[in-house]
Amino acid sequence: MSINKQELVLALPKGRVFDDLLPLLEGTEFAIKDNPKNTRKLLLNTKSKYVRVLLIRGWDVPTYVTSGAANLGIVGKDILLEKESEEYIELLDLGIGQCRLSLAGKKNLLEGSTRMKIATKYPKSSIRFMESIGIQSEIIYLHGSQEIAPALNLSDAIIDLVDSGNTLKENGLYEIQVIREISTRLIANKAALKTKSSIVQEIKEVLS
Ligand code: PRP
């Protein structure tokens, strides 16, 4: 299986965002032909012979797009903030996957604190934010389920995505400060913008 020069590869993240994207693509010329639920294929055909969809983890989308292995990608702003690059350009805010990146912990977390252990999968954003509020931080890197770390004394606080706030609440944590609003973005490899501009524009319009 190989990609020819005229084809465009759109990298999509598996999971919740993918489920939100399916209806946006459905009924358009870029609708996915293979049923992702019935196949283990990772490069899926769309109705357009010029576009294929690559199904990967959100954290890997910037890697594929930066290298040019994928021409376009859809990914959360939280991940883009951690994986900044000169090689891609943000084209569109899709207005889905809306949530916030927040500092959370016990109610009086910030009172008198000068040092703090932060459990997170966002080390760069966390260090930047903690520096901005003048608190020295030690990062405890976790891949998920950060919300339990303070109760077990692994950390003092967490920096993670918050949507309904239920995960924080059910683990006895408070949202102390919103660091930034997050949503899902369309990114493009810079070279693809030049060589595949018309198909990029068509996909952008479908997702707008
Ligand atoms: C995300 C996030 C929080 C939770 C927030 O986790 O990391 O844990 O959702 O949602 P809430 O405010 O509505 O409770 P996700 O379920 O995506 O799993 P993850 O731990 O693998 O990131």
Side-chain angles (χ1 to χ4, degrees):
M1 190 196 320
S2 62
I3 292 289
N4 75 43
K5 272 191 181 163
Q6 287 164 341
E7 277 184 280
L8 179 141
V9 175
L10 168 64
L12 302 185
K14 293 177 181 181
R16 277 192 231 186
V17 169
F18 183 74
D19 295 338
D20 288 349
L21 280 168
L22 279 179
L24 293 181
L25 295 173
E26 204 58 49
T28 76
E29 58 180 312
F30 307 116
I32 299 171
K33 277 211 299 204
D34 304 288
N35 181 347
K37 296 206 162 58
N38 298 336
T39 179
R40 296 290 297 164
K41 259 169 74 178
L42 300 172
L43 194 57
L44 308 177
N45 293 316
T46 69
K47 282 189 182 157
S48 163
K49 63 178 179 178
Y50 297 111
V51 178
R52 287 213 254 179
V53 161
L54 173 68
L55 205 48
I56 51 178
R57 285 176 181 246
W59 283 96
D60 294 331
V61 169
T63 308
Y64 275 86
V65 175
T66 300
S67 68
N71 308 114
L72 292 177
I74 290 180
V75 62
K77 184 70 182 175
D78 54 322
I79 292 175
L80 294 178
L81 290 168
E82 284 294 304
K83 299 209 161 199
E84 283 170 324
S85 161
E86 300 284 309
E87 298 305 316
Y88 65 72
I89 291 178
E90 245 185 75
L91 292 184
L92 190 66
D93 181 342
L94 276 72
I96 58 173
Q98 283 167 330
C99 56
R100 49 207 186 269
L101 183 68
S102 293
L103 170 70
K106 57 181 194 288
K107 216 171 191 173
N108 59 352
L109 181 73
L110 293 180
E111 283 169 24
S113 300
T114 53
R115 290 179 65 87
M116 218 177 266
K117 280 188 190 170
I118 305 286
T120 188
K121 58 181 166 203
Y122 302 102
K124 282 192 195 165
S125 299
S126 297
I127 290 168
R128 268 198 300 261
F129 172 71
M130 295 309 287
E131 272 177 12
S132 78
I133 60 168
I135 297 180
Q136 243 191 332
S137 56
E138 181 189 330
I139 300 297
I140 312 289
Y141 184 83
L142 295 176
H143 288 89
S145 307
Q146 294 85 343
E147 288 89 349
I148 199 58
L152 299 177
N153 295 319
L154 179 60
S155 71
D156 303 303
I158 68 164
I159 288 183
D160 195 22
L161 298 182
V162 181
D163 180 15
S164 64
N166 288 340
T167 313
L168 291 183
K169 204 169 159 195
E170 290 186 24
N171 290 286
L173 299 177
Y174 294 85
E175 189 172 9
I176 303 296
Q177 205 162 326
V178 174
I179 299 171
R180 62 171 295 167
E181 299 293 332
I182 300 295
S183 58
T184 303
R185 310 295 165 99
L186 174 67
I187 60 169
N189 174 274
K190 271 189 178 171
L193 276 182
K194 293 191 187 127
T195 56
K196 298 180 180 181
S197 60
S198 66
I199 190 97
V200 167
Q201 196 54 36
E202 281 179 50
I203 293 173
K204 189 178 162 189
E205 274 163 28
V206 160
L207 295 171
S208 293

